[in-house]
Amino acid sequence: MTLAVPVAIRFLQRGNKELCRNMSSYISLVAIAKADLLADHTETIIKSILQGNSMLLRVLPSVYEMRPQPIHEFLRELVSQMSHLEEGEQLHMLRLLQAIAKAKQPKVLSGTVPLLTEYLSDPSYSDIVVNILLDISSYEPLTLAGSLSVLKGIGEHFPCLIGQIAKIYGAVGRVDEMMAKTSLTYLVNQLNNMEHSFHHILLMEIRNITSIFNEILGIQGRDMYRMSNSLTAIAKILNEYLNHETLPACR
């Protein structure tokens, strides 16, 4: 493999289409067995992809950790091909974006958030996309502030994703008081509507926000979480304070 990989890489640019396809299949197998042999050839692989050899997209998540810089440089061009890819190739692209999100690269990913939200409504991609957004929210929550309404609609169509969506709302709600109120309104409504399995996540996110912006609830916030067996009582208290236009005097 050590001897064969450089030859295979050379044929990506010099061979005919059939030979290029065969070499791409071989390189894809190398990515599974010995990805480090491909790391030094990352830029050549990217250029082959941009020339239409989308089969090699499956290689990029495997080499990303070893050679992130070329991928960062060409990411905008790679992502621009998304709508022209087949379903399997789109999944490889999303796995690459997931690897970048886990590596905490907000500057690299900031331009991809609008594209990611476009694929949230597709049941084939909704799970992986919402998990990418969840990773981004853990260190750059403000990037997702404009996507909350889309995520709300996705939660209505895919209730199984409410847990991840609640965590994204919780992260954005800790940015400032205005976002806190927006996020709390959503979380409280879900507390009334969702099945019991999601209540713990919703309550934790509500508590995380109100522990930072405790003036939203006033003194009632101290006693609210003692009502852990009465979700209706908790939701009632929160709704009362969220709907108040007049802020407490202690503000």
Side-chain angles (χ1 to χ4, degrees), residues 99-146:
I100 297 173
K102 288 186 180 300
K104 299 184 178 180
Q105 297 290 332
K107 291 182 180 179
V108 178
L109 283 175
S110 58
T112 67
V113 170
L115 177 135
L116 286 169
T117 55
E118 290 179 15
Y119 287 89
L120 273 170
S121 58
D122 190 322
S124 301
Y125 307 125
S126 56
D127 189 46
I128 187 171
V129 171
V130 82
N131 281 317
I132 293 171
L133 298 179
L134 180 58
D135 285 331
I136 295 172
S137 73
S138 66
Y139 53 85
E140 196 70 19
L142 196 55
T143 306
L144 300 178

Side-chain angles (χ1 to χ4, degrees), residues 34 40 44 55 57 83 101 111 244:
K34 198 72 174 169
D40 290 339
T44 303
M55 181 188 297
L57 274 168
S83 60
H244 279 174

Side-chain angles (χ1 to χ4, degrees), residues 72-90:
H72 291 172
E73 291 175 6
F74 288 97
L75 187 64
R76 189 179 296 273
E77 295 171 65
L78 288 168
V79 169
S80 68
Q81 295 189 335
M82 187 76 168
S83 60
H84 305 296
L85 301 175
E86 296 178 2
E87 182 176 329
E89 295 164 348
Q90 289 178 334

Side-chain angles (χ1 to χ4, degrees), residues 39 88 97 117 130 143 157 170 173 178 180 237 242:
L97 294 176
T117 55
V130 82
T143 306
H157 286 91
M178 182 180 72
I237 290 173
L242 290 172

Side-chain angles (χ1 to χ4, degrees), residues 28-44:
S28 299
L29 292 173
V30 174
I32 298 170
K34 198 72 174 169
D36 58 299
L37 294 178
L38 300 172
D40 290 339
H41 305 287
T42 301
E43 188 167 340
T44 303

Side-chain angles (χ1 to χ4, degrees), residues 217-232:
L217 296 182
I219 196 168
Q220 294 282 357
R222 299 175 187 174
D223 301 320
M224 185 180 72
Y225 297 101
R226 296 175 188 173
M227 306 175 185
S228 58
N229 292 323
S230 179
L231 297 173
T232 304

